[in-house]
């Protein structure tokens, strides 16, 4: 798919998408690819329609929030959003964005990351964080979790103790552990009401999946 074709998914800011997509690193990580950008944009757009905020700022922040690729097992992972925010500022500065909007995009990108642990202060930052975390929940979140586990060389679960009754959780080794160590904790941290409502539904779907999964194994 060309950048022109892909940009159509970011209406009404197709022109902005065409300008920014060439700067996005398209890696072989299927959990953080073009489809992820489109899903996060649709979620951010839905949240913005209910909560308010500047859609132009949000669009730029969504497009560039993963513009620096850092693997999940890298020691630099906690700095990924800071690196992406710095790169985004450079790109948007060259496109003539004013300082206020640069600051808004910078903060939204920096604060979106779970690893960075930066509290979002603006409505746009809260929406981007919520939209990105929504994509880690529900059935899409389940698919991304197991995809990433396979990509990182992890097992589905510990055959001897699948739900960690007598061992420490280890999500670097077992995909199933990641639901408990992180994914099922995300819902408590949502910053917008609309985002929390969506998160609770996806959280319930994820819990149901785990219950059936454990029953089957």
């Amino acid at each position: 798919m060309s950048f022109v074709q892909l940009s159509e998914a970011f209406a009404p800011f197709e022109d902005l998408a065409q300008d920014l997509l060439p700067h996005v690193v398209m890696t072989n990580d299927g959990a953080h690819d073009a489809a992820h950008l489109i899903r996060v944009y649709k979620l951010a757009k839905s949240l913005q329609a209910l909560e308010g905020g500047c859609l132009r700022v949000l669009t730029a922040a969504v497009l560039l929030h993963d513009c620096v690729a850092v693997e999940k097992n890298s020691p630099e992972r906690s700095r990924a959003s800071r690196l992406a925010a710095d790169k985004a500022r450079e790109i948007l500065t060259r496109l003539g964005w004013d300082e206020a909007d640069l600051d808004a995009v910078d903060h939204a990108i920096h604060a979106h990351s779970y690893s960075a642990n930066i509290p979002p202060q603006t409505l746009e930052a809260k929406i981007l964080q919520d939209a990105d975390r929504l994509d880690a929940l529900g059935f899409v979140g389940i698919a991304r979790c197991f995809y990433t586990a396979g990509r990182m060389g992890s097992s589905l679960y510990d055959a001897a103790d699948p739900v960690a009754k007598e061992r420490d959780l280890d999500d670097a080794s077992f995909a199933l552990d990641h639901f408990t160590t992180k994914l099922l904790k995300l819902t408590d941290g949502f910053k917008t009401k609309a985002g929390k409502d969506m998160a609770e539904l996806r959280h319930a779907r994820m819990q149901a999946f785990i219950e059936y999964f454990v029953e089957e194994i």
Side-chain angles (χ1 to χ4, degrees), residues 183-215:
L183 300 181
L184 291 174
K185 296 178 180 178
L186 292 178
T187 305
D188 292 336
F190 276 72
K191 300 300 188 296
T192 67
K193 182 183 183 305
K196 187 167 181 60
D197 289 344
M198 293 183 193
E200 288 175 349
L201 174 59
R202 294 188 180 211
H203 181 96
R205 289 171 176 169
M206 189 170 272
Q207 281 188 312
F209 165 81
I210 294 168
E211 289 173 10
Y212 285 119
F213 185 85
V214 172
E215 177 186 298

Side-chain angles (χ1 to χ4, degrees), residues 1-3 5-7 9-10 21 24-44 62-63 65-66 131-132 134-136 140-141 143-144 147 202:
M1 181 183 293
S2 70
F3 288 137
Q5 292 172 313
L6 183 56
S7 67
F10 297 89
L21 282 169
V24 176
V25 178
M26 296 299 180
T27 70
N28 63 353
D29 180 359
H32 295 90
D33 56 4
H36 169 68
L37 289 181
I38 293 171
R39 291 193 303 271
V40 173
Y41 181 66
K42 287 179 178 178
L43 289 164
V62 168
L63 282 161
H65 78 281
D66 286 331
D132 191 56
L134 279 167
D135 200 52
V140 171
R144 289 179 68 200
Y147 169 89
R202 294 188 180 211

Side-chain angles (χ1 to χ4, degrees), residues 19 39 56 58 74 100-101 106 117 121 125 134 152 184 190 192-193 195 217:
D19 288 337
R39 291 193 303 271
R56 177 173 173 264
L58 267 172
S74 168
D101 287 343
D106 182 309
N117 195 27
Q121 302 298 326
L134 279 167
M152 295 291 109
L184 291 174
F190 276 72
T192 67
K193 182 183 183 305
I217 63 175

Side-chain angles (χ1 to χ4, degrees), residues 13-205:
F13 292 102
E14 299 96 330
D15 290 345
L16 177 60
Q18 284 189 47
D19 288 337
L20 298 184
L21 282 169
H23 299 282
V24 176
V25 178
M26 296 299 180
T27 70
N28 63 353
D29 180 359
H32 295 90
D33 56 4
H36 169 68
L37 289 181
I38 293 171
R39 291 193 303 271
V40 173
Y41 181 66
K42 287 179 178 178
L43 289 164
K45 196 175 176 183
S46 296
L47 294 176
Q48 186 270 342
L50 295 168
E51 301 284 345
C54 177
L55 186 57
R56 177 173 173 264
V57 166
L58 267 172
T59 303
V62 168
L63 282 161
L64 298 174
H65 78 281
D66 286 331
C67 68
V68 174
V70 180
E71 287 285 8
K72 283 193 174 294
N73 58 359
S74 168
E76 288 284 282
R77 183 62 185 175
S78 64
R79 296 189 63 240
S81 67
R82 179 66 269 161
L83 297 172
D86 290 344
K87 182 178 176 180
R89 180 179 283 274
E90 293 174 6
I91 294 166
L92 296 174
T93 296
R94 291 198 295 270
L95 292 176
W97 281 48
D98 64 40
E99 200 66 25
D101 287 343
L102 288 172
D103 289 343
V105 173
D106 182 309
H107 174 62
I109 293 175
H110 189 200
H112 92 274
S113 169
Y114 185 88
S115 301
N117 195 27
I118 304 294
Q121 302 298 326
T122 65
L123 182 53
E124 292 82 9
K126 293 173 182 177
I127 289 174
L128 177 61
Q129 187 183 96
D130 281 4
D132 191 56
R133 292 184 184 185
L134 279 167
D135 200 52
L137 293 174
F139 295 125
V140 171
I142 293 165
R144 289 179 68 200
C145 178
F146 285 107
Y147 169 89
T148 300
R151 190 168 175 272
M152 295 291 109
S154 302
S155 301
L156 293 181
Y157 57 90
D158 182 348
D161 187 1
V163 294
K165 289 182 178 179
E166 298 180 1
R167 64 174 176 85
D168 293 334
L169 290 164
D170 178 10
D171 63 349
S173 300
F174 308 113
L176 189 61
D177 287 15
H178 192 59
F179 291 96
T180 302
T181 60
K182 179 180 177 182
L183 300 181
L184 291 174
K185 296 178 180 178
L186 292 178
T187 305
D188 292 336
F190 276 72
K191 300 300 188 296
T192 67
K193 182 183 183 305
K196 187 167 181 60
D197 289 344
M198 293 183 193
E200 288 175 349
L201 174 59
R202 294 188 180 211
H203 181 96
R205 289 171 176 169

